[in-house]
Amino acid sequence: MIYTSPAGKERINFVVQVKDGIISSVSAVPRATNKISKSLQKAFAKNITKAVVGKKAKNLDIDVIGWASLTTVAFEQFVQKSFK
């Protein structure tokens, strides 16, 4: 997934598994090149599992994870596009 941060375009990889409309597992692999973005992506990746496993994929609406607001929005967009 590519999204725009204050540092420019950043990349992060998401892997999400959904069973019966519910998120059953998730992981995020930071790919940012900017030091601050990379730090925020790492915090996001560390906290994403406990924030979304067990939630409905459709219309996912979560709070900011690991202080990474733009990464959180990118994740929500990824899930909503992938699991309509």
Side-chain angles (χ1 to χ4, degrees), residues 7-65:
K9 299 285 185 189
E10 294 293 1
R11 181 181 302 272
I12 187 168
N13 292 357
F14 300 122
V15 177
V16 179
Q17 292 186 353
V18 174
K19 184 175 180 182
D20 298 326
I22 305 297
I23 297 172
S24 57
S25 69
V26 62
S27 66
V29 179
R31 300 281 187 221
T33 56
N34 175 273
K35 183 179 178 180
I36 294 170
S37 296
K38 185 177 268 188
S39 174
L40 290 168
Q41 285 185 4
K42 285 180 179 180
F44 176 89
K46 181 180 177 182
N47 292 288
I48 187 65
T49 298
K50 62 183 171 191
V52 301
V53 168
K55 294 189 181 248
K56 291 183 180 180
K58 186 177 179 182
N59 302 319
L60 182 66
D61 183 22
I62 52 177
D63 293 330
V64 172
I65 298 171

